[in-house]
Amino acid sequence: MDTIHRIGATSITRVTEQRGPGFAPDMLFPDWNPHVLDQHRALMIPACFDETQKRFLASVHTWVVKTQRHVMLIDSCGGNHKNRPALPRFHQQNLPFLARLAEAGVAPEQVDFVCCTHLHADHCGWNTELRDGRWVPTFPNARYIFSMAEHDHWTGPAGQSGFNAGVYADSVLPVIEAGQAEIIDGDGLLANGLAVHATPGHSPGHVVFEFADRGETGLFSGDIMHQPLQVFRPDWNSAFCDDPAKARASRRWLLERAADEAAKVFTAHFAASSAGFVTRHGDGFDWRFA
């Protein structure tokens, strides 16, 4: 069982689909400088960087948020049986994610909301499951929250090729056809108690979800950052950022907000605990795992 984090009276638990060596540094970060890793060895090694394979360790997980009123999932990993030939790590998976969700005390029918920070293959795959040859919503009683800008982008040509090919068709459209989608536009407070903030850059409609309870705040950062080193080098974009300038602006917004509000940040791919705190350090920022 993973660590149970608290935001006020609300529990937040990571349910991991997979974790292990991922990208080589110069593949993930076009501006890679190995001296930055040397400066932060104690933070990164061994929990976040595999020295033997010379690759970052990455976690792919869902955050389970249990309030007094709702059970919410933030992002839904890669999913099983999805056809992802351009992404071997997520191609035709058969992983016990739902069993792990059950270990966290959640059955699919108990989920009230599934909230997607964006619609890349590794963030919305468990939105649906293959049943009798058809893709159907995995969580039959849930409302699924999608960003309108993100939805509109992937319904166009971008969704027909490359690493995200097929994702809209098998992981988003079946939810919409089932009448379970809530497509939101811009910033605002949602009925489930989450605030949503538009943070474009990694993808056109990327959002951050914010949750506050009893004076404490949590920020679900999606892919604004892939590794802790980006806290120290917020100018570093990943190779997968759609708009470099907007990605840097969104990353700085997140770091400033997290530091100024003493918010706990729940990341999408950091290894170790995947959650932590940002503080200001001179003109920059520092990171501490929770």
Side-chain angles (χ1 to χ4, degrees):
M1 186 68 179
D2 218 324
T3 300
I4 298 176
H5 302 272
R6 298 282 178 183
I7 297 294
T10 297
S11 71
I12 301 173
T13 307
R14 179 182 64 180
V15 175
T16 302
E17 182 189 63
Q18 56 174 291
R19 178 188 179 278
F23 293 107
D26 55 359
M27 169 61 187
L28 182 60
F29 297 126
D31 298 322
W32 172 246
N33 181 341
H35 295 303
V36 180
L37 178 62
D38 292 338
Q39 291 170 350
H40 301 286
R41 286 181 62 85
L43 174 70
M44 295 295 296
I45 299 170
C48 298
F49 188 80
D50 186 316
E51 280 198 289
T52 301
Q53 298 192 44
K54 305 298 182 187
R55 291 179 178 270
F56 287 115
L57 295 172
S59 176
V60 180
H61 52 261
T62 287
W63 290 109
V64 177
V65 182
K66 292 183 180 180
T67 75
Q68 293 178 332
R69 297 173 55 211
H70 300 130
V71 175
M72 299 182 280
L73 308 184
I74 310 294
D75 286 334
S76 69
C77 308
N80 277 357
H81 313 302
K82 301 292 169 84
N83 190 47
R84 307 282 186 254
L87 292 168
R89 187 173 184 178
F90 300 101
H91 182 58
Q92 294 296 335
Q93 293 186 150
N94 188 19
L95 298 174
F97 175 78
L98 293 181
R100 293 171 186 164
L101 197 63
E103 291 173 3
V106 178
E109 59 271 15
Q110 294 175 303
V111 176
D112 299 299
F113 292 92
V114 179
C115 306
C116 294
T117 60
H118 60 301
L119 299 178
H120 282 175
D122 55 332
H123 290 260
C124 62
W126 275 105
N127 286 359
T128 60
E129 61 180 343
L130 194 60
R131 195 180 303 155
D132 298 325
R134 294 178 55 245
W135 294 110
V136 299
T138 305
F139 308 100
N141 300 315
R143 299 293 295 167
Y144 288 71
I145 309 296
F146 304 133
S147 153
M148 181 178 291
E150 189 75 356
H151 169 271
D152 292 352
H153 178 72
W154 295 114
T155 57
Q160 308 307 314
S161 62
F163 72 88
N164 226 45
V167 172
Y168 181 85
D170 63 35
S171 299
V172 181
L173 184 59
V175 172
I176 295 172
E177 292 177 339
Q180 293 180 232
E182 185 174 336
I183 300 176
I184 57 173
D185 189 11
D187 294 12
L189 184 65
L190 305 179
N192 59 2
L194 293 176
V196 61
H197 303 281
T199 50
H202 176 69
S203 65
H206 189 285
V207 298
V208 163
F209 292 104
E210 179 176 353
F211 184 77
D213 187 12
R214 303 187 183 185
E216 297 179 345
T217 302
L219 293 166
F220 298 90
S221 62
D223 277 4
I224 281 182
M225 300 182 294
H226 285 77
Q227 289 290 332
L229 293 182
Q230 288 174 283
V231 175
F232 311 101
R233 292 300 304 266
D235 56 314
W236 281 8
N237 284 329
S238 79
F240 306 103
C241 286
D242 179 77
D243 186 312
K246 288 182 179 179
R248 291 187 181 100
S250 290
R251 191 173 305 113
R252 181 158 289 275
W253 172 87
L254 173 77
L255 293 169
E256 290 176 349
R257 191 174 185 91
D260 294 346
E261 294 191 4
K264 184 177 285 188
V265 180
F266 297 91
T267 73
H269 295 303
F270 289 15
S273 71
S274 305
F277 296 94
V278 177
T279 52
R280 291 186 182 271
H281 184 78
D283 294 333
F285 302 94
D286 205 349
W287 173 264
R288 173 176 62 85
F289 276 108

